[in-house]
Amino acid sequence: MIGTHAAPTALAAVTEQSVSVFGRLNLPIQVDVVGGDAGLAAITIAAFFLSVLLAVFVTYRFARGYLRTRRRPLLFLTLGLLLLAPLPMFLRLAFGNVAWVTATERTVVVTASKLCGLLLVLGVVHR
């Protein structure tokens, strides 16, 4: 099976060889990705990084507004926006590249961050 590829409809074909990491999970030695267009992948990556930059910029503007006025609701809005937009993007990027974090764990952490951000914003709006 080594060196063979899955059907063209599959997203990835994994070789039989694997390495045990911390005795917890087996990681494939080689992953071959098939399908997709390189142009579409480039556009998707560019859009992701543009979204990260915009989220960081808006959060920065909120933080500057808080530092100028020292109003506590603006601080909570800043923290809520941080937890809602840029932090989940960074968590997805970071945990997507860490082998011992499963997809389920990553989803739980990202969703918890978004939930906390929404609760902070909701608390400020309904105060």
Short mmCIF file of all heavy atoms in Angstrom, two decimals, residues 30-87:
data_model
loop_
_atom_site.label_atom_id
_atom_site.label_comp_id
_atom_site.label_asym_id
_atom_site.label_seq_id
_atom_site.Cartn_x
_atom_site.Cartn_y
_atom_site.Cartn_z
N GLN A 30 3.64 10.18 5.89
CA GLN A 30 3.50 10.96 4.67
C GLN A 30 2.02 11.11 4.34
O GLN A 30 1.26 10.17 4.43
CB GLN A 30 4.21 10.26 3.52
CG GLN A 30 4.09 11.00 2.21
CD GLN A 30 4.83 10.27 1.10
OE1 GLN A 30 5.37 9.20 1.32
NE2 GLN A 30 4.81 10.83 -0.08
N VAL A 31 1.63 12.31 3.97
CA VAL A 31 0.27 12.58 3.54
C VAL A 31 0.32 13.19 2.15
O VAL A 31 1.01 14.18 1.93
CB VAL A 31 -0.44 13.56 4.52
CG1 VAL A 31 -1.83 13.89 4.01
CG2 VAL A 31 -0.50 12.97 5.91
N ASP A 32 -0.38 12.59 1.21
CA ASP A 32 -0.46 13.11 -0.15
C ASP A 32 -1.84 13.73 -0.34
O ASP A 32 -2.85 13.05 -0.19
CB ASP A 32 -0.27 12.00 -1.18
CG ASP A 32 1.09 11.36 -1.09
OD1 ASP A 32 2.06 12.07 -0.79
OD2 ASP A 32 1.18 10.15 -1.31
N VAL A 33 -1.89 14.99 -0.67
CA VAL A 33 -3.16 15.67 -0.89
C VAL A 33 -3.44 15.69 -2.38
O VAL A 33 -2.57 16.02 -3.18
CB VAL A 33 -3.12 17.11 -0.33
CG1 VAL A 33 -4.43 17.81 -0.60
CG2 VAL A 33 -2.81 17.08 1.14
N VAL A 34 -4.66 15.31 -2.74
CA VAL A 34 -5.05 15.30 -4.15
C VAL A 34 -6.31 16.12 -4.32
O VAL A 34 -7.09 16.27 -3.40
CB VAL A 34 -5.29 13.85 -4.66
CG1 VAL A 34 -4.01 13.06 -4.66
CG2 VAL A 34 -6.34 13.15 -3.84
N GLY A 35 -6.50 16.65 -5.52
CA GLY A 35 -7.70 17.42 -5.81
C GLY A 35 -7.51 18.88 -5.49
O GLY A 35 -6.59 19.28 -4.79
N GLY A 36 -8.40 19.70 -6.00
CA GLY A 36 -8.35 21.13 -5.73
C GLY A 36 -7.50 21.87 -6.74
O GLY A 36 -6.71 21.30 -7.47
N ASP A 37 -7.70 23.17 -6.77
CA ASP A 37 -7.01 24.03 -7.71
C ASP A 37 -6.05 24.93 -6.94
O ASP A 37 -6.40 25.47 -5.89
CB ASP A 37 -8.05 24.87 -8.47
CG ASP A 37 -7.44 25.77 -9.50
OD1 ASP A 37 -6.33 25.48 -9.96
OD2 ASP A 37 -8.10 26.77 -9.87
N ALA A 38 -4.85 25.10 -7.43
CA ALA A 38 -3.85 25.92 -6.74
C ALA A 38 -4.29 27.37 -6.66
O ALA A 38 -4.05 28.04 -5.65
CB ALA A 38 -2.51 25.82 -7.46
N GLY A 39 -4.95 27.89 -7.67
CA GLY A 39 -5.44 29.26 -7.64
C GLY A 39 -6.49 29.48 -6.57
O GLY A 39 -6.48 30.48 -5.84
N LEU A 40 -7.41 28.52 -6.45
CA LEU A 40 -8.45 28.61 -5.42
C LEU A 40 -7.82 28.53 -4.03
O LEU A 40 -8.23 29.26 -3.12
CB LEU A 40 -9.47 27.49 -5.60
CG LEU A 40 -10.60 27.44 -4.59
CD1 LEU A 40 -11.42 28.73 -4.65
CD2 LEU A 40 -11.48 26.24 -4.84
N ALA A 41 -6.82 27.69 -3.87
CA ALA A 41 -6.14 27.59 -2.58
C ALA A 41 -5.45 28.91 -2.24
O ALA A 41 -5.50 29.37 -1.09
CB ALA A 41 -5.12 26.45 -2.61
N ALA A 42 -4.82 29.55 -3.20
CA ALA A 42 -4.14 30.82 -2.97
C ALA A 42 -5.14 31.91 -2.60
O ALA A 42 -4.89 32.71 -1.69
CB ALA A 42 -3.36 31.24 -4.21
N ILE A 43 -6.29 31.94 -3.28
CA ILE A 43 -7.32 32.93 -2.96
C ILE A 43 -7.87 32.70 -1.56
O ILE A 43 -8.07 33.65 -0.79
CB ILE A 43 -8.44 32.89 -4.01
CG1 ILE A 43 -7.92 33.44 -5.34
CG2 ILE A 43 -9.67 33.67 -3.55
CD1 ILE A 43 -8.87 33.24 -6.51
N THR A 44 -8.08 31.44 -1.20
CA THR A 44 -8.60 31.12 0.14
C THR A 44 -7.62 31.54 1.23
O THR A 44 -8.02 32.12 2.24
CB THR A 44 -8.88 29.60 0.23
OG1 THR A 44 -9.79 29.24 -0.80
CG2 THR A 44 -9.47 29.24 1.57
N ILE A 45 -6.35 31.26 1.03
CA ILE A 45 -5.33 31.64 2.02
C ILE A 45 -5.23 33.16 2.12
O ILE A 45 -5.15 33.72 3.22
CB ILE A 45 -3.98 31.00 1.68
CG1 ILE A 45 -4.07 29.49 1.89
CG2 ILE A 45 -2.85 31.60 2.51
CD1 ILE A 45 -2.88 28.71 1.38
N ALA A 46 -5.26 33.85 0.99
CA ALA A 46 -5.21 35.31 1.00
C ALA A 46 -6.42 35.90 1.71
O ALA A 46 -6.29 36.84 2.50
CB ALA A 46 -5.12 35.85 -0.42
N ALA A 47 -7.60 35.34 1.47
CA ALA A 47 -8.81 35.82 2.14
C ALA A 47 -8.74 35.59 3.65
O ALA A 47 -9.17 36.44 4.44
CB ALA A 47 -10.05 35.14 1.55
N PHE A 48 -8.19 34.45 4.05
CA PHE A 48 -8.05 34.17 5.48
C PHE A 48 -7.14 35.20 6.14
O PHE A 48 -7.47 35.76 7.19
CB PHE A 48 -7.49 32.76 5.69
CG PHE A 48 -7.20 32.44 7.13
CD1 PHE A 48 -8.23 32.12 8.00
CD2 PHE A 48 -5.91 32.48 7.61
CE1 PHE A 48 -7.97 31.83 9.33
CE2 PHE A 48 -5.64 32.20 8.94
CZ PHE A 48 -6.68 31.87 9.80
N PHE A 49 -5.99 35.45 5.54
CA PHE A 49 -5.06 36.41 6.14
C PHE A 49 -5.61 37.84 6.10
O PHE A 49 -5.37 38.62 7.02
CB PHE A 49 -3.68 36.31 5.50
CG PHE A 49 -2.90 35.12 5.97
CD1 PHE A 49 -2.58 34.09 5.10
CD2 PHE A 49 -2.51 35.01 7.29
CE1 PHE A 49 -1.88 32.98 5.54
CE2 PHE A 49 -1.81 33.90 7.74
CZ PHE A 49 -1.50 32.88 6.86
N LEU A 50 -6.36 38.18 5.08
CA LEU A 50 -7.02 39.49 5.04
C LEU A 50 -8.04 39.60 6.16
O LEU A 50 -8.14 40.64 6.83
CB LEU A 50 -7.67 39.72 3.68
CG LEU A 50 -8.38 41.06 3.51
CD1 LEU A 50 -7.38 42.21 3.62
CD2 LEU A 50 -9.09 41.10 2.16
N SER A 51 -8.78 38.54 6.40
CA SER A 51 -9.75 38.53 7.50
C SER A 51 -9.06 38.69 8.85
O SER A 51 -9.54 39.43 9.72
CB SER A 51 -10.55 37.22 7.50
OG SER A 51 -11.28 37.08 6.32
N VAL A 52 -7.93 38.02 9.02
CA VAL A 52 -7.17 38.16 10.27
C VAL A 52 -6.70 39.60 10.44
O VAL A 52 -6.83 40.19 11.52
CB VAL A 52 -5.97 37.18 10.29
CG1 VAL A 52 -5.04 37.49 11.44
CG2 VAL A 52 -6.46 35.75 10.38
N LEU A 53 -6.16 40.19 9.39
CA LEU A 53 -5.67 41.57 9.47
C LEU A 53 -6.81 42.54 9.80
O LEU A 53 -6.63 43.44 10.64
CB LEU A 53 -5.00 41.98 8.17
CG LEU A 53 -3.62 41.39 7.92
CD1 LEU A 53 -3.12 41.77 6.52
CD2 LEU A 53 -2.64 41.88 8.97
N LEU A 54 -7.95 42.38 9.16
CA LEU A 54 -9.08 43.27 9.44
C LEU A 54 -9.58 43.10 10.87
O LEU A 54 -9.89 44.09 11.55
CB LEU A 54 -10.21 43.03 8.45
CG LEU A 54 -9.95 43.51 7.03
CD1 LEU A 54 -11.08 43.08 6.10
CD2 LEU A 54 -9.80 45.02 7.00
N ALA A 55 -9.66 41.86 11.35
CA ALA A 55 -10.11 41.62 12.72
C ALA A 55 -9.14 42.22 13.74
O ALA A 55 -9.56 42.84 14.73
CB ALA A 55 -10.27 40.12 12.96
N VAL A 56 -7.85 42.08 13.48
CA VAL A 56 -6.85 42.67 14.39
C VAL A 56 -6.93 44.19 14.34
O VAL A 56 -6.86 44.86 15.37
CB VAL A 56 -5.43 42.16 14.03
CG1 VAL A 56 -4.36 42.97 14.74
CG2 VAL A 56 -5.31 40.69 14.36
N PHE A 57 -7.12 44.77 13.15
CA PHE A 57 -7.21 46.22 13.02
C PHE A 57 -8.42 46.78 13.78
O PHE A 57 -8.30 47.77 14.50
CB PHE A 57 -7.28 46.62 11.54
CG PHE A 57 -7.47 48.08 11.32
CD1 PHE A 57 -6.43 48.97 11.57
CD2 PHE A 57 -8.68 48.59 10.89
CE1 PHE A 57 -6.59 50.33 11.38
CE2 PHE A 57 -8.86 49.94 10.70
CZ PHE A 57 -7.82 50.82 10.95
N VAL A 58 -9.58 46.14 13.62
CA VAL A 58 -10.79 46.61 14.32
C VAL A 58 -10.62 46.48 15.83
O VAL A 58 -10.99 47.39 16.59
CB VAL A 58 -12.03 45.85 13.81
CG1 VAL A 58 -13.25 46.15 14.67
CG2 VAL A 58 -12.30 46.21 12.35
N THR A 59 -10.05 45.37 16.27
CA THR A 59 -9.81 45.19 17.71
C THR A 59 -8.82 46.24 18.23
O THR A 59 -9.00 46.79 19.32
CB THR A 59 -9.27 43.77 17.99
OG1 THR A 59 -10.19 42.82 17.45
CG2 THR A 59 -9.11 43.53 19.46
N TYR A 60 -7.80 46.54 17.44
CA TYR A 60 -6.84 47.58 17.81
C TYR A 60 -7.52 48.94 17.96
O TYR A 60 -7.25 49.69 18.89
CB TYR A 60 -5.73 47.63 16.77
CG TYR A 60 -4.80 48.80 16.91
CD1 TYR A 60 -3.84 48.84 17.92
CD2 TYR A 60 -4.87 49.87 16.02
CE1 TYR A 60 -2.98 49.92 18.05
CE2 TYR A 60 -4.01 50.95 16.15
CZ TYR A 60 -3.08 50.97 17.16
OH TYR A 60 -2.24 52.05 17.29
N ARG A 61 -8.43 49.26 17.04
CA ARG A 61 -9.15 50.53 17.12
C ARG A 61 -10.01 50.61 18.38
O ARG A 61 -10.10 51.64 19.03
CB ARG A 61 -10.01 50.74 15.86
CG ARG A 61 -9.22 50.91 14.58
CD ARG A 61 -8.35 52.15 14.63
NE ARG A 61 -9.15 53.32 14.89
CZ ARG A 61 -9.18 54.41 14.17
NH1 ARG A 61 -8.42 54.49 13.12
NH2 ARG A 61 -9.94 55.42 14.51
N PHE A 62 -10.68 49.50 18.72
CA PHE A 62 -11.46 49.45 19.96
C PHE A 62 -10.55 49.65 21.16
O PHE A 62 -10.89 50.38 22.10
CB PHE A 62 -12.18 48.10 20.09
CG PHE A 62 -13.57 48.10 19.54
CD1 PHE A 62 -13.82 47.67 18.26
CD2 PHE A 62 -14.64 48.50 20.33
CE1 PHE A 62 -15.09 47.65 17.74
CE2 PHE A 62 -15.93 48.48 19.83
CZ PHE A 62 -16.17 48.06 18.54
N ALA A 63 -9.38 49.02 21.16
CA ALA A 63 -8.44 49.14 22.28
C ALA A 63 -7.95 50.58 22.40
O ALA A 63 -7.84 51.11 23.52
CB ALA A 63 -7.27 48.19 22.09
N ARG A 64 -7.66 51.24 21.28
CA ARG A 64 -7.25 52.64 21.33
C ARG A 64 -8.36 53.52 21.89
O ARG A 64 -8.11 54.45 22.66
CB ARG A 64 -6.85 53.14 19.94
CG ARG A 64 -5.46 52.69 19.57
CD ARG A 64 -4.95 53.34 18.33
NE ARG A 64 -5.14 54.77 18.32
CZ ARG A 64 -5.19 55.52 17.24
NH1 ARG A 64 -5.07 54.96 16.05
NH2 ARG A 64 -5.35 56.82 17.31
N GLY A 65 -9.61 53.21 21.51
CA GLY A 65 -10.74 53.96 22.05
C GLY A 65 -10.86 53.78 23.55
O GLY A 65 -11.13 54.74 24.28
N TYR A 66 -10.63 52.56 24.03
CA TYR A 66 -10.67 52.33 25.47
C TYR A 66 -9.56 53.09 26.17
O TYR A 66 -9.77 53.72 27.21
CB TYR A 66 -10.57 50.84 25.81
CG TYR A 66 -10.28 50.63 27.27
CD1 TYR A 66 -11.27 50.88 28.22
CD2 TYR A 66 -9.02 50.25 27.71
CE1 TYR A 66 -11.00 50.73 29.57
CE2 TYR A 66 -8.75 50.10 29.06
CZ TYR A 66 -9.74 50.33 29.98
OH TYR A 66 -9.47 50.21 31.31
N LEU A 67 -8.35 53.05 25.64
CA LEU A 67 -7.23 53.73 26.28
C LEU A 67 -7.43 55.24 26.31
O LEU A 67 -6.96 55.91 27.22
CB LEU A 67 -5.92 53.38 25.56
CG LEU A 67 -5.45 51.94 25.73
CD1 LEU A 67 -4.23 51.67 24.86
CD2 LEU A 67 -5.16 51.64 27.19
N ARG A 68 -8.15 55.77 25.32
CA ARG A 68 -8.42 57.20 25.28
C ARG A 68 -9.49 57.60 26.30
O ARG A 68 -9.38 58.61 26.97
CB ARG A 68 -8.83 57.61 23.87
CG ARG A 68 -8.91 59.09 23.65
CD ARG A 68 -9.17 59.49 22.21
NE ARG A 68 -10.18 58.66 21.55
CZ ARG A 68 -9.93 57.81 20.55
NH1 ARG A 68 -8.71 57.68 20.09
NH2 ARG A 68 -10.89 57.10 20.00
N THR A 69 -10.54 56.78 26.43
CA THR A 69 -11.68 57.16 27.28
C THR A 69 -11.68 56.50 28.65
O THR A 69 -12.30 57.00 29.57
CB THR A 69 -13.00 56.78 26.58
OG1 THR A 69 -13.05 55.37 26.41
CG2 THR A 69 -13.14 57.49 25.26
N ARG A 70 -11.02 55.36 28.78
CA ARG A 70 -10.99 54.58 30.02
C ARG A 70 -12.40 54.19 30.49
O ARG A 70 -12.66 54.07 31.67
CB ARG A 70 -10.28 55.33 31.15
CG ARG A 70 -8.85 55.63 30.89
CD ARG A 70 -8.06 54.36 30.89
NE ARG A 70 -6.64 54.68 30.70
CZ ARG A 70 -5.71 53.80 30.60
NH1 ARG A 70 -6.00 52.53 30.65
NH2 ARG A 70 -4.47 54.15 30.41
N ARG A 71 -13.29 53.92 29.55
CA ARG A 71 -14.66 53.50 29.87
C ARG A 71 -14.70 51.97 29.88
O ARG A 71 -14.30 51.33 28.92
CB ARG A 71 -15.65 54.04 28.83
CG ARG A 71 -15.55 55.54 28.70
CD ARG A 71 -16.75 56.31 28.97
NE ARG A 71 -17.91 55.55 29.42
CZ ARG A 71 -19.13 55.87 29.12
NH1 ARG A 71 -19.36 56.91 28.36
NH2 ARG A 71 -20.13 55.18 29.58
N ARG A 72 -15.20 51.42 30.98
CA ARG A 72 -15.20 49.98 31.15
C ARG A 72 -16.02 49.24 30.08
O ARG A 72 -15.60 48.18 29.61
CB ARG A 72 -15.69 49.61 32.55
CG ARG A 72 -15.42 48.15 32.85
CD ARG A 72 -15.75 47.72 34.24
NE ARG A 72 -14.94 48.16 35.33
CZ ARG A 72 -13.68 47.82 35.57
NH1 ARG A 72 -13.03 47.10 34.70
NH2 ARG A 72 -13.06 48.21 36.65
N PRO A 73 -17.18 49.74 29.64
CA PRO A 73 -17.90 49.02 28.58
C PRO A 73 -17.09 48.88 27.30
O PRO A 73 -17.18 47.84 26.62
CB PRO A 73 -19.14 49.88 28.34
CG PRO A 73 -19.36 50.60 29.61
CD PRO A 73 -17.99 50.85 30.16
N LEU A 74 -16.29 49.87 26.97
CA LEU A 74 -15.45 49.77 25.78
C LEU A 74 -14.36 48.72 25.96
O LEU A 74 -14.00 48.02 25.00
CB LEU A 74 -14.85 51.14 25.46
CG LEU A 74 -14.33 51.33 24.05
CD1 LEU A 74 -15.36 50.93 23.01
CD2 LEU A 74 -13.93 52.77 23.83
N LEU A 75 -13.88 48.56 27.18
CA LEU A 75 -12.92 47.50 27.46
C LEU A 75 -13.55 46.13 27.23
O LEU A 75 -12.95 45.26 26.59
CB LEU A 75 -12.41 47.60 28.91
CG LEU A 75 -11.54 46.44 29.39
CD1 LEU A 75 -10.25 46.37 28.59
CD2 LEU A 75 -11.26 46.57 30.87
N PHE A 76 -14.78 45.94 27.72
CA PHE A 76 -15.45 44.65 27.54
C PHE A 76 -15.80 44.41 26.08
O PHE A 76 -15.75 43.27 25.60
CB PHE A 76 -16.68 44.55 28.42
CG PHE A 76 -16.35 44.45 29.89
CD1 PHE A 76 -17.04 45.19 30.83
CD2 PHE A 76 -15.33 43.62 30.33
CE1 PHE A 76 -16.73 45.10 32.16
CE2 PHE A 76 -15.02 43.52 31.67
CZ PHE A 76 -15.72 44.26 32.60
N LEU A 77 -16.15 45.45 25.34
CA LEU A 77 -16.38 45.30 23.91
C LEU A 77 -15.09 44.89 23.19
O LEU A 77 -15.11 44.06 22.29
CB LEU A 77 -16.92 46.59 23.31
CG LEU A 77 -18.41 46.85 23.47
CD1 LEU A 77 -18.76 48.22 22.91
CD2 LEU A 77 -19.22 45.78 22.78
N THR A 78 -13.98 45.48 23.60
CA THR A 78 -12.69 45.14 23.01
C THR A 78 -12.34 43.68 23.27
O THR A 78 -11.95 42.95 22.36
CB THR A 78 -11.58 46.05 23.57
OG1 THR A 78 -11.92 47.41 23.32
CG2 THR A 78 -10.24 45.74 22.95
N LEU A 79 -12.50 43.26 24.52
CA LEU A 79 -12.20 41.86 24.86
C LEU A 79 -13.16 40.90 24.15
O LEU A 79 -12.75 39.84 23.67
CB LEU A 79 -12.28 41.66 26.38
CG LEU A 79 -11.19 42.34 27.19
CD1 LEU A 79 -11.45 42.17 28.68
CD2 LEU A 79 -9.83 41.80 26.82
N GLY A 80 -14.44 41.29 24.07
CA GLY A 80 -15.41 40.45 23.38
C GLY A 80 -15.08 40.31 21.90
O GLY A 80 -15.14 39.22 21.34
N LEU A 81 -14.70 41.41 21.28
CA LEU A 81 -14.34 41.35 19.87
C LEU A 81 -13.06 40.54 19.66
O LEU A 81 -12.95 39.79 18.69
CB LEU A 81 -14.15 42.76 19.30
CG LEU A 81 -13.90 42.83 17.81
CD1 LEU A 81 -15.11 42.33 17.04
CD2 LEU A 81 -13.58 44.24 17.39
N LEU A 82 -12.12 40.66 20.57
CA LEU A 82 -10.89 39.87 20.50
C LEU A 82 -11.21 38.38 20.56
O LEU A 82 -10.69 37.58 19.78
CB LEU A 82 -9.94 40.25 21.63
CG LEU A 82 -8.65 39.44 21.71
CD1 LEU A 82 -7.74 39.79 20.55
CD2 LEU A 82 -7.97 39.69 23.03
N LEU A 83 -12.10 37.99 21.49
CA LEU A 83 -12.46 36.59 21.64
C LEU A 83 -13.34 36.09 20.50
O LEU A 83 -13.38 34.91 20.20
CB LEU A 83 -13.20 36.37 22.96
CG LEU A 83 -12.37 36.50 24.23
CD1 LEU A 83 -13.27 36.50 25.44
CD2 LEU A 83 -11.35 35.39 24.31
N LEU A 84 -14.03 37.00 19.84
CA LEU A 84 -14.97 36.63 18.79
C LEU A 84 -14.33 36.52 17.41
O LEU A 84 -14.69 35.65 16.63
CB LEU A 84 -16.10 37.67 18.75
CG LEU A 84 -17.28 37.39 17.84
CD1 LEU A 84 -17.95 36.10 18.24
CD2 LEU A 84 -18.26 38.54 17.93
N ALA A 85 -13.38 37.38 17.10
CA ALA A 85 -12.86 37.39 15.73
C ALA A 85 -11.39 36.95 15.62
O ALA A 85 -11.13 35.87 15.09
CB ALA A 85 -13.07 38.76 15.11
N PRO A 86 -10.41 37.74 16.06
CA PRO A 86 -9.03 37.35 15.76
C PRO A 86 -8.54 36.12 16.52
O PRO A 86 -7.84 35.29 15.95
CB PRO A 86 -8.20 38.58 16.12
CG PRO A 86 -9.07 39.50 16.85
CD PRO A 86 -10.48 39.05 16.69
N LEU A 87 -8.92 35.98 17.79
CA LEU A 87 -8.41 34.85 18.57
C LEU A 87 -8.84 33.50 17.99
O LEU A 87 -7.99 32.60 17.85
CB LEU A 87 -8.81 34.97 20.03
CG LEU A 87 -8.19 33.93 20.95
CD1 LEU A 87 -6.67 34.07 20.97
CD2 LEU A 87 -8.76 34.04 22.35
#
